[in-house]
Amino acid sequence: MATVVDLKVDRNLLCHNFDGYKLSFDPVPIVRQDIEDKPLKYEMHESEYSRLHTELFARHNLLFSDPWSRSNTYFVNTNHEVVYCSYDEIRGKAREPLVVYKMQFEDNVDGHYKPGDYNYTLRFISEKYCVLCDGKLNYFLLETGDRRRHTDWRLVTQARVTDNTEFRGFVLYDARLDIMQERKRISLVSGHLTRSKSMDRYVVLLTWSYWALENQKAAVWKYFQREELQITGGVYYCAFEPRSESIIVCSNGQLKTTAATRTDALEEIDKFSFSEYFWTQTENDIVVRLFEPAFISLEDYEFSSSPTTVKLKLYGQTLLSGSLYARVRDDLTSIRLEDDRAMLKMVKEKPGIWPQLILSEDEDADEDDPFEEGVEEEPESSEAEPELRFNITDSEITHKISLGYSPPLFTTTLRAGYPAAFATREGVDAALWLQSYQPVNPSDWKVRHEGNLHAFGYVQASKQQRKFTDCCPDLEFAVIAEAQRHVYIYKPHNESAGGLRNRYGPQVMIGKQHLVTLDEDMGEILGMATATNLITLLTAKAVLFLQV
C-alpha cells in the first residue's frame, strides 16, 4: 500500500496582502545575437497523431541551461553541433556563439532522420559532465571540462538506450550522477511513445538505466538497464531522487512495470477460448482475426499448419486448434500483425463457401465482426493527476501525492545538483515544491514548500497560448512565453503600491507585469531559460537576452 504524502503549505511564504500585478511600461532591454545555423527541430510525422505526441513535441524546450552557470545556455543546430551561448553580465553584451561539440556520425550509425525520431535532449550532471540523447537510439556521455572557460567537449562513452530494435525515438527526462560505494554511477531515464496493441492507444515506456565506472584508472564505463515502466498517460514530471534508488513521476495515467504488464497479458490470455476469434471468407480465401493482449509481437506466437489443420499458441496457451472444414493451400497460409492485431490468412484449395471453420465447432460465418468498427480516438483521461514515487528495490510504488485534476504548472531547477522542483496551483498562487530526502531513512520521503509565486496560478490559467513557463532560481520573477512574439514577465516582489493600505490591515503589495513583444522576423520561440535578472530566448533566427 502506497503512503499518501500531503502537500503542506508553509504559511510564512504566503503574502496575504498581495493585490495583483500592475502593467509596467518600463522598457525591458533586449540584446540580440544572430546565429548562422538554425536550431534543429523535428516536427511530428504524419503517423504521430496522438494527444501524447502533440504534448511531447509542443512542450519540448530546445534551449538547455547549465545549472552551475545559469547564464550559459546550449542548443543543437541543423549541423548537429552543440552551440554555446552566453551573456556577459559585466559588459552587458552577448558573447559570440561557439561550437563546443559536433556529432560524429561514424560513431552514430543512426544519425540520419527517420519518421519517429525526436529532438536532442541535454542534461548536465556535474560541473564537468553532461549526457546527450540524440532523440533516436543513443546516449552520449560528454566531458565538458570547465564550462566557464568554454573548452571543447570530449566524448567519453556512448550506449544504446535499449536492446529492443523495434523502439526508436527517445527523450531524456533526467540524468543524475551519484557516488555509490566510492564508485561513480550515472542514472538515466528516458521515454518512448509506442502504441499498445490491445488498448488501441499510445503509451509511454520509461527506460531506467545507468552507467557505472568499472575501472577508475582506465575510465571504463559500463552500461546497464535496470527497469522498464509503462505509463498510459502523459508525463508531466519525471526526476530521480538523490542516490537514484527511486524515481518520481507525475502522470494522468497508470504506472506499471513490464513484469506487471506481462502478468496482465497472461491473465488476458487465460480468458481466451476457441470462440473468441472472428473469421470472414470469400469464395477463395479465409481471414481469421484474434484478440491480442498488450506488447505481443509475432515472435511470441507458436504457429503450425497443414492443408487440413491449424494450430496457434501464445505463451503456451492454445488460441486456435483443430481440423479445417476443407483443404487449404498450406504454402500460401500466413500470419501477420495488421492494425496491431494478429491476422491469419488462408487460401482455399477449392473455391466455395464454408459453413464452419473448424470441424469441432459451429461458427456462424455471418457473425458481425467488431473489428470492422472505426478506431476511436485516444480518450482524454479524467483521472486525478498523481505524483508517484517508484522504488527500484521494492519494485513498487511506495508514495503517492494527489495533485487534484490539474498537472503541475511547470518544472524548474532551483539549485544545481538537486532534483527539479515542480509548481502546483494553491488557490490563486503557484507553490514550488522540492523533494526532501532523508539519507538515514529513505522511506520517509516528503516534499517541502520551497517558495511561492503570488497570484501566478491565477495568471497562468488566463494564458491559453502559453508554450513555456519558468521562474528564476531566487523566485524574483516568473515568465510565460507564447509560441510567437509575446513574452509576459511577472515580478511578485516589486513595490508596496505607493504606501496604500487596507483600512484595517497592512500595506497593499502590488507586483509588476511586463509585456515584451518581439519583432515579427524572429519566428517561433523554440526554447527559454532563466537566470538571475536574465531571460534567454531561442528563436528560429537569433538568441535573445532579456535583462529583467
Side-chain angles (χ1 to χ4, degrees):
M1 180 67 68
T3 302
V4 178
V5 178
D6 295 327
L7 297 179
K8 297 181 179 179
V9 176
D10 186 353
R11 295 186 176 275
N12 295 324
L13 300 176
L14 304 181
C15 182
H16 300 283
N17 59 329
F18 188 79
D19 203 38
Y21 293 93
K22 180 180 179 181
L23 181 62
S24 173
F25 294 97
D26 296 338
V28 177
I30 301 177
V31 178
R32 172 173 175 170
Q33 178 63 59
D34 293 327
I35 51 180
E36 296 181 2
D37 298 302
K38 294 182 179 180
L40 178 64
K41 180 188 178 185
Y42 291 136
E43 302 289 350
M44 288 192 303
H45 190 258
E46 59 183 7
S47 61
E48 302 168 328
Y49 53 83
S50 72
R51 174 177 57 86
L52 295 181
H53 283 100
T54 304
E55 290 180 352
L56 186 65
F57 278 86
R59 290 203 307 256
H60 186 52
N61 192 342
L62 299 181
L63 187 66
F64 309 102
S65 175
D66 182 0
W68 282 267
S69 181
R70 296 290 292 250
S71 60
N72 295 344
T73 54
Y74 303 82
F75 70 92
V76 180
N77 62 19
T78 53
N79 293 328
H80 300 272
E81 298 171 331
V82 180
V83 181
Y84 159 79
C85 301
S86 181
Y87 179 76
D88 191 338
E89 299 178 0
I90 298 177
R91 299 180 180 180
K93 296 182 179 180
R95 298 186 177 95
E96 287 292 328
L98 298 175
V99 175
V100 294
Y101 184 75
K102 181 176 176 60
M103 294 293 296
Q104 304 296 325
F105 290 111
E106 57 269 19
D107 297 331
N108 181 14
V109 295
D110 299 293
H112 300 287
Y113 172 78
K114 294 181 181 179
D117 288 350
Y118 192 62
N119 297 300
Y120 283 89
T121 43
L122 181 67
R123 294 291 181 268
F124 293 93
I125 57 177
S126 72
E127 295 179 341
K128 294 185 178 180
Y129 289 97
C130 71
V131 177
L132 178 68
C133 179
D134 61 2
K136 302 173 180 65
L137 296 168
N138 302 301
Y139 288 138
F140 299 86
L141 177 60
L142 304 176
E143 182 180 354
T144 63
D146 189 351
R147 293 191 289 271
R148 293 172 297 181
R149 298 182 179 180
H150 325 311
T151 57
D152 292 339
W153 296 1
R154 181 181 67 86
L155 177 65
V156 177
T157 186
Q158 69 181 75
R160 196 181 182 95
V161 177
T162 178
D163 295 331
N164 193 330
T165 57
E166 297 180 1
F167 295 159
R168 182 183 175 96
F170 291 87
V171 53
L172 178 61
Y173 284 118
D174 195 21
R176 182 174 181 83
L177 173 63
D178 296 289
I179 299 179
M180 307 291 292
Q181 298 177 355
E182 300 183 353
R183 294 173 58 188
K184 292 182 179 179
R185 188 179 70 182
I186 301 174
S187 299
L188 311 160
V189 58
S190 62
H192 167 74
L193 280 177
T194 185
R195 188 169 183 82
S196 170
K197 298 176 181 178
S198 64
M199 294 184 290
D200 275 339
R201 63 180 299 178
Y202 281 90
V203 297
V204 180
L205 293 183
L206 295 181
T207 302
W208 185 346
S209 56
Y210 67 95
W211 270 308
L213 186 59
E214 294 290 320
N215 189 331
Q216 189 153 358
K217 293 183 178 179
V220 177
W221 293 85
K222 192 172 181 180
Y223 183 78
F224 302 91
Q225 187 170 329
R226 301 192 74 178
E227 186 63 86
E228 281 190 352
L229 306 174
Q230 172 194 317
I231 301 178
T232 57
V235 178
Y236 305 111
Y237 177 86
C238 183
F240 289 109
E241 70 175 14
R243 301 181 67 86
S244 303
E245 289 300 319
S246 299
I247 187 172
I248 289 79
V249 179
C250 179
S251 174
N252 60 345
Q254 294 183 345
L255 184 147
K256 294 182 179 180
T257 64
T258 52
T261 303
R262 184 181 179 87
T263 301
D264 293 343
L266 293 176
E267 291 178 356
E268 288 188 52
I269 295 172
D270 291 338
K271 300 176 184 178
F272 286 177
S273 64
F274 294 149
S275 62
E276 291 185 338
Y277 62 81
F278 296 87
W279 67 287
T280 57
Q281 64 174 322
T282 64
E283 289 280 343
N284 299 310
D285 55 37
I286 292 175
V287 175
V288 182
R289 297 182 176 90
L290 302 101
F291 287 118
E292 185 177 343
F295 301 103
I296 301 300
S297 63
L298 285 179
E299 291 75 12
D300 298 317
Y301 286 99
E302 298 178 22
F303 175 69
S304 62
S305 66
S306 70
T308 59
T309 61
V310 62
K311 180 178 290 187
L312 184 64
K313 291 185 177 182
L314 181 60
Y315 296 140
Q317 174 73 33
T318 301
L319 304 181
L320 178 63
S321 178
S323 299
L324 299 172
Y325 175 79
R327 295 177 64 89
V328 297
R329 296 186 57 181
D330 188 50
D331 58 327
L332 297 180
T333 300
S334 63
I335 181 172
R336 69 176 186 271
L337 293 180
E338 183 173 291
D339 296 332
D340 294 328
R341 296 183 177 92
M343 186 181 75
L344 174 64
K345 185 174 182 180
M346 297 178 287
V347 179
K348 299 176 182 178
E349 193 172 276
K350 294 181 180 181
I353 298 299
W354 293 7
Q356 60 192 54
L357 177 63
I358 304 296
L359 287 178
S360 59
E361 297 182 7
D362 187 12
E363 293 287 346
D364 186 358
D366 295 329
E367 185 177 1
D368 292 335
D369 185 352
F371 297 107
E372 297 295 330
E373 301 176 1
V375 177
E376 298 181 358
E377 294 183 0
E378 182 178 345
E380 291 279 351
S381 174
S382 60
E383 300 178 359
E385 313 284 348
E387 184 126 355
L388 307 174
R389 176 181 182 264
F390 181 87
N391 185 266
I392 189 66
T393 304
D394 300 330
S395 190
E396 63 179 3
I397 297 172
T398 59
H399 295 76
K400 180 183 295 185
I401 301 175
S402 178
L403 302 182
Y405 289 90
S406 298
L409 302 181
F410 63 93
T411 62
T412 187
T413 301
L414 298 180
R415 298 187 185 92
Y418 279 71
F422 61 94
T424 63
R425 182 168 178 174
E426 299 293 333
V428 298
D429 296 346
L432 280 94
W433 307 88
L434 197 62
Q435 297 181 43
S436 179
Y437 178 73
Q438 305 292 336
V440 180
N441 186 15
S443 61
D444 185 21
W445 181 82
K446 297 179 181 179
V447 292
R448 67 172 182 269
H449 190 189
E450 189 69 15
N452 207 68
L453 297 173
H454 309 314
F456 189 71
Y458 180 78
V459 167
Q460 197 210 36
S462 66
K463 300 296 183 290
Q464 298 298 317
Q465 303 298 322
R466 65 184 181 273
K467 183 176 182 181
F468 301 117
T469 306
D470 204 350
C471 66
C472 66
D474 54 10
L475 306 182
E476 287 297 320
F477 68 85
V479 57
I480 298 175
E482 296 183 350
Q484 301 282 345
R485 301 193 69 187
H486 297 127
V487 180
Y488 303 90
I489 305 172
Y490 297 89
K491 300 178 180 178
H493 309 290
N494 180 56
E495 58 184 27
S496 58
L500 289 179
R501 287 179 174 270
N502 291 319
R503 178 172 295 181
Y504 300 107
Q507 277 191 339
V508 174
M509 299 295 294
I510 295 180
K512 182 182 290 187
Q513 173 191 0
H514 295 273
L515 172 59
V516 179
T517 302
L518 308 180
D519 296 336
E520 293 184 1
D521 64 341
M522 287 291 96
E524 181 184 2
I525 298 177
L526 303 177
M528 182 177 73
T530 60
T532 304
N533 301 325
L534 181 67
I535 301 172
T536 306
L537 298 176
L538 175 65
T539 68
K541 295 185 177 180
V543 178
L544 305 178
F545 300 95
L546 281 62
Q547 303 175 31
V548 181

